[in-house]
Amino acid sequence: MVTLLVGLGASCGHAADIGYLAPPGVPAKEFPAPQRPVAQIVSPGRASEEHRDSLNEAGEIARLLELKPGMTVADIGAGSGYHTVRLSRLVGPTGAVIAQDVTRKYLIALARRTQRLRLTNVTFALGKPHDPRLPASSLDAAILVHMYHEVAQPYAFLYNLAPALRPGARIGIVDLERPTSEHGTPIGLLRCELTAVGYREVATHQLAGDGGYLAVFSPPEPGDRKAPRDVVACGRVGPR
């Protein structure tokens, strides 16, 4: 087991300080492969922060997910940290943000950014493509913004994420209504893949401008989690 809770000390931007926050979950090989293309990770940011702010992207997501001061929220696929920075200010000194990514260099750069901004409630978590490696019962909410189509093993990823979500927690997935090969996820496909692992849809909202949609789900109850062998991959659902 490797547990590294990263503070914002002088060395927080060094690679040695960025690690896994939890032991490994279920291996990817235990789950069916997705029956659709997986987009490549091409950039730590989707659009300029000024443009995203003009659409009130962070504020709209926070409002719809009912994020509040004192919560612990994971920014999964944090990239350059657009949401991490804004979530840090939202949850305040009594809350916490876990910035998670599978690309170590993104987390190193983000750690340096949060240090410059004096954000002291951010922890950094390295993950695997099939496993976010987040501590059990640690999260009130998680957001996955314009990155779900890059998850190489969605069934394993969602299965391994579920234990990190506390009772009553929500996950919010933001994506575009376009094929996964074009860096989007058709909403029908998203619903199918999450339902296959036992997540339940709460609501879907259209975001302003070119922000895409926000789909809100609740995780499976511990007693309702399917065994990996019982997860059935989704067939063709909408454009790929």
Side-chain angles (χ1 to χ4, degrees):
M1 172 177 172
V2 180
T3 303
L4 291 176
L5 296 178
V6 181
L8 290 175
S11 64
C12 73
H14 295 301
D17 299 316
I18 306 294
Y20 304 113
L21 298 189
V26 180
K29 65 181 181 180
E30 301 297 323
F31 296 85
Q35 302 300 301
R36 45 85 167 175
V38 176
Q40 292 187 341
I41 300 173
V42 294
S43 170
R46 172 177 172 266
S48 74
E49 297 199 0
E50 292 77 12
H51 175 67
R52 298 172 80 172
D53 280 345
S54 73
L55 299 173
N56 191 30
E57 178 182 312
E60 193 75 343
I61 292 171
R63 180 181 68 81
L64 294 169
L65 280 176
E66 301 181 357
L67 304 182
K68 297 178 175 63
M71 284 185 168
T72 298
V73 183
D75 182 8
I76 298 178
S80 60
Y82 172 80
H83 283 284
T84 293
V85 168
R86 288 153 182 82
L87 286 170
S88 172
R89 293 164 177 156
L90 171 67
V91 301
T94 61
V97 178
I98 299 178
Q100 188 272 357
D101 209 289
V102 297
T103 304
R104 185 187 293 269
K105 66 180 181 180
Y106 294 169
L107 293 175
I108 295 170
L110 179 53
R112 291 171 177 156
R113 179 182 183 183
T114 56
Q115 185 178 32
R116 289 194 303 271
L117 295 173
R118 301 182 184 277
L119 304 177
T120 59
N121 60 353
V122 181
T123 296
F124 304 92
L126 189 65
K128 293 286 190 180
H130 71 285
D131 184 358
R133 299 286 294 268
L134 296 174
S137 301
S138 61
L139 303 177
D140 298 301
I143 63 169
L144 295 77
V145 180
H146 294 292
M147 56 75 66
Y148 183 83
H149 49 266
E150 298 172 352
V151 177
Q153 214 328 333
Y155 305 110
F157 182 89
L158 292 166
Y159 189 92
N160 288 322
L161 171 62
L165 297 162
R166 294 170 179 161
R170 296 287 185 266
I171 69 168
I173 300 177
V174 176
D175 220 327
L176 301 171
E177 185 65 41
R178 62 171 63 157
T180 54
S181 58
E182 298 177 17
H183 290 269
T185 307
I187 187 64
L189 175 63
L190 183 76
R191 288 167 175 154
C192 183
E193 291 189 347
L194 272 87
T195 300
V197 185
Y199 287 74
R200 299 175 301 281
E201 184 177 9
V202 175
T204 301
H205 309 275
Q206 189 64 37
L207 300 176
D210 60 355
Y213 62 78
L214 167 67
V216 183
F217 292 85
S218 60
E221 298 292 337
D224 295 336
R225 292 180 73 200
K226 297 181 180 180
R229 64 179 178 274
D230 294 330
V231 174
V232 178
C234 296
R236 183 174 180 84
V237 183
R240 299 304 176 92

